Amino acid sequence: MNRIPEIMIGLLFAGAAAAQTSEGPQPPVVDPGGPGMAPSDAIVLFDGKDNSHWLTMEGKPSKCTVGDGVMTCRTGAGDTQSIEKFRDAQIHVEFNLPYEPAMRGQGRANSGVILMGRYEIQILDSYQNATYANGSCAALYGQSAPLVNACRRPGEWQTYDIIFHAPHCAADGTVETPGSLTMLHNGVLVQDHASVRGRRCVAGEGPIVLQDHSQYVGRKIGTAAGVTEGAPDTIIKFRNIWMRRLNQ
Ligand code: MG
């Protein structure tokens, strides 16, 4: 009569035996900081005071400007790269996009966070602005569309929290083992262990590159009817950028 309860108790004890505790080393202590603060073990790449951690792609001082705790990158500044290089990392970036109603699709507030200088996390005003899915905001450009569109309106601050594992490369430059990307956009899961590949695998480390999309002005970009094609005067704002190295 009591056969079923006895079996359940047996299964309970079996499960407890499988989940053994151990007296291993304690995890390192990290002060997570308050809102808008970097964790205590993070490498701070932009703290609102200066952009001394950033350079042009030619290795000269960044042409983005700093004021009121914000890094402002305007059309023509060119791509801006971090001096710090990395592979596997947790990265936090906050950005604020302009409202460009005359533009559409890829033409509307296009920037990007390019990991290792190669794998672009798209920045785009995708709030009520459709484009191809794997090129929309929070996409791993050309590879993985976001799971959902978690965009805020232009003019509002947005966050990326990125967990990136770089692909492993074979000697011939092909991908031996794909990398992975997990990412929150404004606190919402948008990439869940997405596979990271590339046309050419990059060994070693690389920088974070903040994209100035106006360099692609020669390509067709989206404009509303009656607007002459050309790169709009786009001002992308960044703040509170930090990184934690992983597996090192
Ligand atoms: Mg882009």
Side-chain angles (χ1 to χ4, degrees), residues 106 110-113 120-124 141 211 213 216:
Q106 293 291 302
N110 193 326
S111 181
V113 179
E120 181 184 0
I121 308 296
Q122 176 70 300
I123 287 179
L124 191 74
Y141 189 86
Q211 185 187 56
H213 195 266
Y216 305 115

Side-chain angles (χ1 to χ4, degrees), residues 36-239:
M37 301 291 289
S40 58
D41 66 344
I43 298 169
V44 177
L45 300 176
F46 179 65
D47 63 0
K49 296 172 183 166
D50 62 62
N51 59 5
S52 59
H53 296 278
W54 299 87
L55 299 171
T56 66
M57 300 308 286
E58 294 76 36
K60 297 179 178 174
S62 169
K63 294 180 180 176
C64 298
T65 58
V66 177
D68 297 326
V70 174
M71 182 196 297
T72 299
C73 299
R74 189 169 190 164
T75 293
D79 289 349
T80 298
Q81 64 172 326
S82 65
I83 296 173
E84 191 75 33
K85 293 181 170 56
F86 69 97
R87 282 185 63 80
D88 302 345
Q90 175 186 354
I91 298 165
H92 177 89
V93 178
E94 299 180 18
F95 60 92
N96 191 317
L97 304 179
Y99 181 44
E100 297 180 331
M103 309 304 293
R104 56 179 169 76
Q106 293 291 302
R108 187 175 289 186
N110 193 326
S111 181
V113 179
I114 307 176
L115 307 177
M116 294 180 67
R118 178 148 299 267
Y119 311 104
E120 181 184 0
I121 308 296
Q122 176 70 300
I123 287 179
L124 191 74
D125 177 12
S126 290
Y127 183 83
Q128 298 181 350
N129 175 43
T131 185
Y132 45 95
N134 67 1
S136 62
C137 199
L140 174 59
Y141 189 86
Q143 297 192 51
S144 177
L147 297 169
V148 295
N149 181 338
C151 292
R152 293 197 170 116
R153 295 171 182 269
E156 297 183 9
W157 282 98
Q158 307 194 54
T159 61
Y160 278 166
D161 285 286
I162 300 163
I163 299 171
F164 174 74
H165 291 272
H168 289 262
C169 308
D172 63 357
T174 59
V175 174
E176 190 171 73
T177 309
S180 72
L181 172 71
T182 296
M183 190 169 95
L184 304 180
H185 181 194
N186 298 324
V188 178
L189 183 67
V190 288
Q191 299 285 350
D192 186 6
H193 291 85
S195 179
V196 178
R197 295 177 175 273
R199 283 170 291 184
R200 185 173 63 84
C201 200
V202 178
E205 299 187 325
I208 296 172
V209 176
L210 304 177
Q211 185 187 56
D212 173 3
H213 195 266
S214 65
Q215 65 182 301
Y216 305 115
V217 64
R219 298 184 183 181
K220 181 177 176 63
I221 58 176
T223 54
V227 176
T228 304
E229 286 189 3
D233 185 12
T234 298
I235 295 175
I236 310 286
K237 299 176 182 176
F238 296 95
R239 71 180 184 189

